[in-house]
Amino acid sequence: MNPQENVLPIEGTGRVLTRYDRRLGGILAEEGKLGADDIEQVMELQQTNGLRFGEAALRLGLITEDDLRCAVAKQYDLPHLLPGNESISNELVVAYEPFHPRAELRALRTQLLMRWSKAGVRHRALAIASPGPGEGRSYVAANLAVVFSQLGERTLLVDADLRTPRQHRIFNVPDRIGLSAVLSGRADRGAVAPVREFGRLSLLPAGAPPPNPQELLSRPTLGFFLQEMWTEFDVILFDTPAAKLYADAQNVAFRAGSVVMLARKDHTRLADTTSVIRELGDTGVRVVGTVFNAF
């Protein structure tokens, strides 16, 4: 047998399918979408009409578009969610629709990796900030965290918006204990929750709303916690509250060392963006770029 081949039993048939690496037929068989007879039909049509395996299976009506998308994602080790999944918010477009134009946060990921590499950054931490509310910070932070985990990076997303947190709802993670408890000394690393749908992604939710978020985020505890997390994670991302309304974002960005600024189309004022960038720069934070959010 070719060393790249392995044998996959087809449940209930007593037959086997020879599989080369991670081909679609093997993946669809593992998922129970195709049997041995189905695969033979697909391969016959594939050879006759010069189709790809997935195209042939679709034409025969043996699988759905969602089945094919899911199989292709698994073939390339890309965590993928099917539409209708009620456990995770549909805001995670990079997981539900990885090939949609809105999923091009991978371009931002690439730019960040290149800039970190060029600057020789060893601890890759980033705050996601914007001047005002409703500009997409939580959306970008959540999707960016997923695309880093899809790359195989051990990724931690910290919801540092202690005023109007959203990440626990996006990922459907309990928020009874979170960052507020960690900063007040009432919790430790155990507050970090793995997001099992995405393998290497973990979330530290904001936790119970504190009466003094700015003071909590100003404490050295956040820096100590970051130092501890570097032993476990390759990339740490922070969601933050509106920077023009509160100084929280400046505190978080200072601890992270780097920040990316968001501006939303037909919403964010240029003067506000420029002002926040200047204020962050004055504290020594490295502004790695500005993202124009049109969604």
Side-chain angles (χ1 to χ4, degrees), residues 21-52:
D21 296 330
R22 292 291 288 166
R23 294 199 173 180
L24 281 178
I27 295 170
L28 289 164
E30 287 177 346
E31 295 294 315
K33 304 297 182 181
L34 295 178
D37 291 336
D38 298 328
I39 290 173
E40 289 179 4
Q41 289 183 59
V42 173
M43 293 179 67
E44 183 178 345
L45 181 62
Q46 183 184 16
Q47 293 169 4
T48 302
N49 292 15
L51 301 172
R52 293 187 177 90

Side-chain angles (χ1 to χ4, degrees), residues 166-178:
R166 294 189 58 239
Q167 296 298 343
H168 65 285
R169 291 198 296 271
I170 293 175
F171 289 96
N172 193 26
V173 169
D175 70 332
R176 188 174 64 85
I177 299 176

Side-chain angles (χ1 to χ4, degrees), residues 210-231:
N212 58 338
Q214 187 174 336
E215 287 74 20
L216 278 181
L217 292 167
S218 299
R219 291 179 180 177
T221 314
L222 180 57
F224 298 148
F225 178 74
L226 264 177
Q227 290 176 11
E228 181 184 354
M229 291 299 97
W230 286 130
T231 64

Side-chain angles (χ1 to χ4, degrees), residues 243-285:
K244 284 294 288 183
L245 300 180
Y246 314 103
D248 304 19
Q250 283 88 335
N251 287 324
V252 174
F254 176 76
R255 294 296 181 187
S258 297
V259 63
V260 65
M261 182 63 54
L262 301 187
R264 183 177 172 185
K265 181 181 179 182
D266 301 326
H267 183 90
T268 307
R269 295 176 65 245
L270 177 61
D272 290 341
T273 303
T274 303
S275 173
V276 172
I277 290 175
R278 183 173 58 251
E279 290 169 2
L280 288 168
D282 288 344
T283 65
V285 176

